[in-house]
């Protein structure tokens, strides 16, 4: 949580200082309260196989989105080393074990469906970094 000290401590027209204090107290209380359940952790692999790309993203969350972005970053994701793509091209860490697990869990889908799903799930800003797929056979192609 990032708070702008100038906005919080300065006098805002039409807002009482008591309302500002109450808002600050509610923000700090919400930020300090534990809210994640152990079953909601991205570290706990789901047991039910996803039937759609939306279910895949619901279950795998950030890690699933990173995997899908890596697949979109290359022309041929089946022959590419997605862990290297993640590290060199997208600056994300994706272990080989996680890449294999996610690849097995991914339901059959096309790149356009992946792009649409990533947009729906709020990953559009990351998709803009993927102008065109990078070739997987050219040495040094993973540099930006």
């Amino acid at each position: 949580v990032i708070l702008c000290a100038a906005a919080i401590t300065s006098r805002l027209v039409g807002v009482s200082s008591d309302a500002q204090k109450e808002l600050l107290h509610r923000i700090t209380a919400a930020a300090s309260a534990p809210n994640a359940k152990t079953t909601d952790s991205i570290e706990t692999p789901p047991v039910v196989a996803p039937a759609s790309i939306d279910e895949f993203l619901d279950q795998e969350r950030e890690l699933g989105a990173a995997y899908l972005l890596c697949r979109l970053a290359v022309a041929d994701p089946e022959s590419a080393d997605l862990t290297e793509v993640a590290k060199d091209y997208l600056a994300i860490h994706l272990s080989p074990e996680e890449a294999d697990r996610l690849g097995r869990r991914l339901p059959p889908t096309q790149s356009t469906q992946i792009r649409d799903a990533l947009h729906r799930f709020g990953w559009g800003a990351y998709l803009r970094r993927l102008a065109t797929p990078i070739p997987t056979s050219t040495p040094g192609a993973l540099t930006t």
Side-chain angles (χ1 to χ4, degrees):
V1 175
I2 299 172
L3 300 174
C4 175
I8 291 174
T9 58
S10 64
R11 177 83 170 123
L12 299 176
V13 177
V15 178
S16 73
S17 60
D18 290 336
Q20 281 181 283
K21 287 178 188 176
E22 175 61 26
L23 177 61
L24 178 60
H25 289 298
R26 287 183 20 219
I27 289 172
T28 54
S32 61
N35 62 355
K37 300 175 188 170
T38 56
T39 57
D40 289 342
S41 171
I42 64 170
E43 308 235 343
T44 306
V47 293
V48 178
S52 69
I53 193 70
D54 286 3
E55 284 183 23
F56 178 82
L57 284 169
D58 273 338
Q59 292 176 3
E60 298 296 343
R61 297 182 179 87
E62 294 87 355
L63 199 55
Y67 176 77
L68 293 176
L69 287 166
C70 290
R71 288 185 62 88
L72 291 176
V74 294
D76 184 11
E78 300 305 322
S79 65
D81 181 357
L82 295 182
T83 60
E84 289 297 315
V85 172
K87 181 179 74 164
D88 295 337
Y89 187 68
L90 299 175
I92 1 181
H93 174 73
L94 183 65
S95 71
E97 298 80 20
E98 285 298 322
D100 290 341
R101 184 185 70 79
L102 292 166
R104 288 190 306 273
R105 291 185 46 75
L106 182 65
T109 188
Q110 298 175 349
S111 294
T112 55
Q113 293 170 319
I114 291 173
R115 282 185 179 279
D116 292 345
L118 286 170
H119 270 291
R120 282 193 306 277
F121 279 75
W123 296 95
Y126 294 91
L127 286 170
R128 287 191 288 275
R129 291 186 63 193
L130 306 176
T132 58
I134 58 172
T136 55
S137 59
T138 307
L142 299 178
T143 59
T144 57

